Amino acid sequence: MAYKELPPPDMMKRLVRINAKTGLMFWKPRKASDFAHCTDPVKYRDNWNKRYAGKQCFCTVYHKGHLGGKIYRINLFANRVAWCLYYGEWAQHSITHKNGDYADNRKANLVRGKDGWRDKELVCAATERIKKWLLD
């Protein structure tokens, strides 16, 4: 299988909006130029915007509660998209969540891989949270 190149960060910022308070992402309206390869770009733009603009994206639940979705037929995890939107570049390292909640993509909760689990208190807090969730 051929490796698909990630969309440039400036393109991601043009296509996706992130709510910094919640970490949720939403599609922005697209321009006709985004559909230049289509026979009728204006029609395709109007249809796409009517169907998707303003709706939440990267909200499909994957394995172990990670969120993700597709853009231009490329599967992406929501935490990586959030990092790209916050910092203007794709992460060259693993990303983890401080509180252990894979659906929480707020900037303050995203950290470099090892940094997120280095502190034993974070591991204990996440473990307790998971136990409580399983028992409820």
Side-chain angles (χ1 to χ4, degrees):
M1 179 188 295
Y3 172 76
K4 294 183 180 178
E5 199 169 312
L6 295 172
D10 59 324
M11 178 187 286
M12 292 301 295
K13 287 187 175 195
R14 186 171 52 81
L15 300 176
V16 179
R17 173 182 65 84
I18 189 163
N19 181 325
K21 289 183 181 181
T22 63
L24 299 177
M25 291 170 264
F26 303 89
W27 292 116
K28 289 182 177 178
R30 300 235 177 138
K31 300 176 182 174
S33 60
D34 293 325
F35 301 94
H37 61 282
C38 299
T39 53
D40 186 354
V42 174
K43 177 183 173 187
Y44 279 90
R45 177 208 57 203
D46 292 345
N47 288 339
W48 194 95
N49 286 337
K50 191 184 306 179
R51 186 171 182 184
Y52 298 109
K55 297 214 172 120
Q56 190 175 347
C57 57
F58 298 101
C59 55
T60 302
V61 180
Y62 291 143
H63 182 66
K64 295 186 179 178
H66 284 278
L67 298 180
K70 285 186 177 188
I71 189 164
Y72 294 121
R73 298 182 181 164
I74 301 171
N75 287 319
L76 296 170
F77 282 115
N79 62 343
R80 300 195 75 73
V81 174
W83 186 279
C84 176
L85 295 172
Y86 289 134
Y87 297 103
E89 64 184 14
W90 290 104
Q92 301 300 312
H93 49 76
S94 62
I95 301 169
T96 191
H97 300 80
K98 275 187 192 178
N99 64 5
D101 181 358
Y102 299 130
D104 184 354
N105 290 307
R106 294 173 294 124
K107 187 176 184 178
N109 194 43
L110 298 178
V111 292
R112 290 176 181 265
K114 288 185 179 179
D115 297 339
W117 295 104
R118 186 176 295 155
D119 189 348
K120 190 175 181 180
E121 291 177 25
L122 290 175
V123 175
C124 292
T127 303
E128 289 304 313
R129 194 173 153 276
I130 292 169
K131 282 181 186 176
K132 183 180 178 189
W133 178 75
L134 289 172
L135 295 174
D136 285 347

